[in-house]
Amino acid sequence: MSGSNTASSNALKNAPLIGDIRLLGQILGDTIREQEGVEIYDLIESIRRLSVAAERDFDQDAKHRLDTLLRSLTTVQAITVERAFSYFSHLANIAEDRHHIRRRAAHKVGERDRPGSLVWTCRMLRNAGIEPAQVVESLGHGLVSPVLTAHPTEVQRKSLLDAEHKIAQLLAARDDLQTERERSHNEARLKARVVQLWQTRLLRFSRLTVRDEIENALSYYQTTFLRELPRLYAELEDELNGQRIASFFRMGSWIGGDRDGNPNVNAETLALALREQCETALRYYLTEVHELGAELSISRTLVGCTPELSDLAERSGDTNPHREDEDYRCALIGIYARLAGTLEKLTGTAALRRALRPAEPYDSAAALQADLGIIEDSLKAHHGGALVQDRLAPLRRAVDVFGFHLATVDIRQSSDRHEETLNELLAAAKVSNNYAGLAEGDKQDLLLRVLCDPRPLRVPGVRYSDRAESELALLDTARSLRSAFGPDAIRHYIISHTEAASDLLEVLVLLKEAALIHGVLGEPGASSTLLVIPLFETIDDLRDAEAIMRTFYGLPGVKDLVRASGSDSNKDGGFFTSNWELYRTSTTLAKFFAEDDGIRLRLFHGRGGTVGRGGGPSYEAILAQPPGTVRGQIRLTEQGEVIASKYANPEIGRRNLEALAAAVLEATFLKFGPAAPDEFVAAAAHISRASMQAYRSFVYETDGFVEYFFAATPIAEIAELNIGSRPASRRATRRIEDLRAIPWSFSWGQARISLPGWFGFGSGIEAFVAESPEQDTALLQRMYREWPFFRTVLSNMDMVLAKTDIAVARRYAGLVKDRNFATRLFGALEAEWQRTVQALNTITERRERLAENPSLARSIRHRVPYIAPLNHLQVELIRRWRSGDQDERIRNGILISINGIAAGLRNTG
């Protein structure tokens, strides 16, 4: 196809998107004109036109006029302009999401399924000679688990998310409208929702609480997960010739259990999270059972039923004469009553529709599943199989996947808090007066003795510190919650900052104190109810990971205990080094665990919203894992505004869940052989060393870098934004080491330089090719073509660089008071940016960004004119605020600009 034909085809494909954006933009413009007046509307339009000319046409005169105009705005005018451009970005996001769904539907109609779909993946498996039975067997002991995290950078309020969801529904409906009258009515409803957005404040008055975070996450289950995951299973079973597959795809959560650096998470929030989750699951089941009862109006005078179904109907206690021949309906009335009793018992809340009579609560999700199984078996035995697929089968799958707990809540705490708690317990028990001061080997010996001793450490009557009591109370609560909601309610204890084998032993001792370990270490039958999971976060910890795990599993009794029980490294070492060390560590751990058939490796990837924190497309990321490291098992975090962009829309959520499942299947069955040729590994190691040296030299060894960071980014203002329940820093310092990864990446993204997503790569490549430029460049180009890991890393960096704007970043550098220092440091930053861009161009043999992702390139190109004014205004308002003009409206203006830029960039946290 010629270039002109390709362009024409793309224009035709994108015409509906352009139409949707124009419609929403026009409605927003009309709303602003009506709400704020013609003068402010004309001002916004002038800014928009100048920004388009400056950013798309590179009109220097327009750029100068725009800068002058923005600087002249009053605070009130600036806030109104920010709100307009912010809402336009939100509306453009909705239109783009709708277009993705539209294009996917077009591909399915044309039977041109693409990578990431189950149809594509299962076809590849068949072509490789892999039988459905092999896939079914593998998934029987697999686990794919997206884990929603407790510290979102989602800067929108739920009120706005709900309004945007309604706009998305109305926009989707337009594709099926037939008449002008219908379209006019639809536009009126869209206008109402846009007016609602404009009249709703963007900012929260108070910081998010853990309860807010829990409720925010639950909204995605209601819109997406509860319905879409059962559909995913059904489609996969269809592709596998109708064979039943185990529920390998389950949800996880850190919300309510992630205590690392968050004093607001405790035993009460853990209990709250599981009660709220349980309520969400049970209310969904109640609704589905009620609807199923309405549908199964089957009369036994026409169709028989099994004795088990008759008995279930009889036990319901329903004596209504109008239903005396409707055994299915009576049985479901009984199930509904038992579910209502379960809801009241576990959550203290009542069903919206009252049960006909009180009934015994279910003691487990398995008991509910058994009753639903009786209904399904009876239907299938009496020519009613067609009635199973629409509602009963998805309901049964939902109960299997979500149980009464909805999602497995992880507990996470920092290793230093465990050491602190053990130090106190051991001292009070007269076991050790200074456990924290012991050498590593002595710590291990002492902890093993405690684990082999059936007696508890806790001394009755001793009052421990509040911090120690809090740690112990959380584990005591976890034990009772597992008893109430089922063993899958809490399965994982994650240790942040794992640096030694004693860090894992300490948690085992704490679990023993809470009766979460059965038996005694070293004796037959000993097991832990929770899986103890090390989190390797720094480059040094990643490098030590294999040694730590070998030491841990080599300790007496530990391997048998584990058998019976069934990272933010970027801030530390830079973009390429963190990716390489994760790859290298995954490879070495896979080899280590392959030595023992009794223990399976499951990698848990802490993926943030930004590429700088491990983000990027999950499908490509999973396929880029070293061969042999997935094997049907992976957990990965979903964070920040990425959660909303992936799962707020059920159709897009379904596509993202499908892509995860497809990638795991491909990585499990189709990625064999050596991790990479030796020359690729050696090259990556060389690049990593030089890249890390450049990164650490700039970030940690440049005098004044910290001051530059706090001045040239909105980090201080972000810390005041009510976007999460935890502090921006782990400790009350300005050290980069103590800063959380989210505000670190978020700040650089706002300043349009996104340093964590690329810095050091250019220097790494320059050092690698120094001796043999032509030969080594050819090797790098081959690595890009043939090695999924290297290609994915560069693809993600390509996306980051497409969203950077060196001219805008220079404006932020202007916020640094010492102009000479700012010029010098920004010059070094810009030089590395140029080296990185040049290196990327050379390796990929492409000069334009996102050449292989034209839809994203188009999206960014169209968004830039709407993001740039927000950046300019943010810099101007920060300058006013920091110069002493402490008008609260200025502060609000800064925070609104943060919201708008995040919406425009989409993956910034």
Side-chain angles (χ1 to χ4, degrees), residues 822-889:
T823 300
R824 187 170 69 255
L825 196 143
F826 185 81
L829 193 155
E830 184 175 9
E832 180 64 19
W833 183 83
Q834 294 284 4
R835 278 190 290 270
T836 299
V837 169
Q838 180 58 46
L840 185 62
N841 290 347
T842 301
I843 296 169
T844 63
E845 299 179 86
R846 294 179 181 273
R847 296 195 61 80
E848 66 275 15
R849 298 281 67 82
L850 298 172
E852 296 185 354
N853 193 343
S855 62
L856 181 56
R858 181 205 64 238
S859 171
I860 294 173
R861 187 168 59 252
H862 281 88
R863 286 168 180 273
V864 164
Y866 298 90
I867 301 172
L870 291 169
N871 284 119
H872 291 205
L873 286 172
Q874 185 178 95
V875 170
E876 177 60 27
L877 293 177
I878 288 175
R879 182 179 286 112
R880 295 179 191 179
W881 178 262
R882 293 178 183 175
S883 67
D885 189 351
Q886 302 287 297
D887 187 332
E888 187 65 17
R889 292 174 299 181

Side-chain angles (χ1 to χ4, degrees), residues 423-494:
N423 196 61
E424 194 170 334
L425 287 174
L426 291 165
K430 307 298 183 185
V431 176
S432 172
N433 289 326
N434 184 22
Y435 165 77
L438 296 178
E440 172 62 17
D442 294 332
K443 284 183 178 179
Q444 294 175 18
D445 291 342
L446 188 154
L447 295 171
L448 285 171
R449 289 199 304 273
V450 171
L451 285 167
C452 292
D453 188 338
R455 293 171 297 180
L457 283 177
R458 277 191 270 192
V459 179
V462 171
R463 170 64 184 172
Y464 298 100
S465 70
D466 289 344
R467 285 162 67 97
E469 290 283 1
S470 178
E471 298 299 329
L472 297 169
L474 183 93
L475 291 173
D476 290 338
T477 300
R479 183 185 66 250
S480 64
L481 292 172
R482 283 172 51 87
S483 176
F485 298 108
D488 286 334
I490 304 170
R491 285 286 291 135
H492 311 104
Y493 196 112
I494 299 168

Side-chain angles (χ1 to χ4, degrees), residues 129-301:
I130 296 166
E131 296 295 327
Q134 293 176 261
V135 179
V136 171
E137 191 278 331
S138 175
L139 295 180
H141 46 75
L143 178 73
V144 179
S145 182
V147 181
L148 306 189
T149 63
H151 41 66
T153 53
E154 173 55 69
V155 295
Q156 289 194 83
R157 298 173 57 213
K158 189 173 183 302
S159 301
L160 298 174
L161 289 172
D162 290 343
E164 290 177 14
H165 182 60
K166 291 176 183 175
I167 291 172
Q169 291 176 319
L170 289 167
L171 197 63
R174 292 183 65 81
D175 287 351
D176 298 321
L177 301 182
Q178 301 297 318
T179 68
E180 189 60 37
R181 182 182 181 86
E182 288 175 332
R183 284 189 286 272
S184 178
H185 180 62
N186 176 274
E187 285 184 27
R189 296 180 66 192
L190 281 169
K191 174 70 177 292
R193 298 282 70 82
V194 173
V195 169
Q196 177 190 347
L197 284 180
W198 189 256
Q199 294 187 352
T200 301
R201 59 180 161 80
L202 275 162
L203 303 177
R204 300 183 182 92
F205 284 145
S206 58
R207 178 173 290 276
L208 274 179
T209 65
V210 178
R211 177 186 287 274
D212 293 327
E213 292 175 335
I214 292 168
E215 292 178 354
N216 183 57
L218 291 178
S219 67
Y220 300 109
Y221 288 88
Q222 294 155 355
T223 60
T224 299
F225 298 127
L226 282 163
R227 285 182 171 82
E228 297 303 328
L229 268 178
R231 290 174 186 165
L232 175 72
Y233 280 104
E235 182 174 342
L236 183 54
E237 286 178 341
D238 285 345
E239 292 294 329
L240 297 174
N241 300 335
Q243 295 194 51
R244 173 77 178 179
I245 57 175
S247 294
F248 70 99
F249 203 122
R250 298 172 182 269
M251 296 301 299
S253 175
W254 278 7
I255 304 174
D258 182 7
R259 289 165 60 76
D260 182 19
N262 192 345
N264 302 306
V265 174
N266 50 38
E268 288 73 26
T269 63
L270 184 63
L272 174 67
L274 277 163
R275 282 198 308 272
E276 295 278 329
Q277 289 181 189
C278 176
E279 183 177 350
T280 298
L282 291 180
R283 290 195 184 280
Y284 176 74
Y285 302 157
L286 283 162
T287 298
E288 293 301 293
V289 166
H290 174 78
E291 295 295 332
L292 193 59
E295 293 170 3
L296 298 187
S297 53
I298 301 167
S299 171
R300 69 169 176 269
T301 65

Side-chain angles (χ1 to χ4, degrees), residues 546 550 586-596 601:
E546 182 189 6
R550 283 190 179 277
S586 299
T587 302
T588 57
L589 287 174
K591 290 178 180 176
F592 166 60
F593 282 99
E595 298 169 6
D596 192 316
L601 171 68

Side-chain angles (χ1 to χ4, degrees), residues 474-515:
L474 183 93
L475 291 173
D476 290 338
T477 300
R479 183 185 66 250
S480 64
L481 292 172
R482 283 172 51 87
S483 176
F485 298 108
D488 286 334
I490 304 170
R491 285 286 291 135
H492 311 104
Y493 196 112
I494 299 168
I495 307 166
S496 297
H497 311 294
T498 301
E499 299 174 346
S502 63
D503 292 335
L504 292 111
L505 292 174
E506 287 168 359
V507 173
L508 289 178
V509 171
L510 292 174
L511 294 181
K512 171 178 170 285
E513 289 301 301

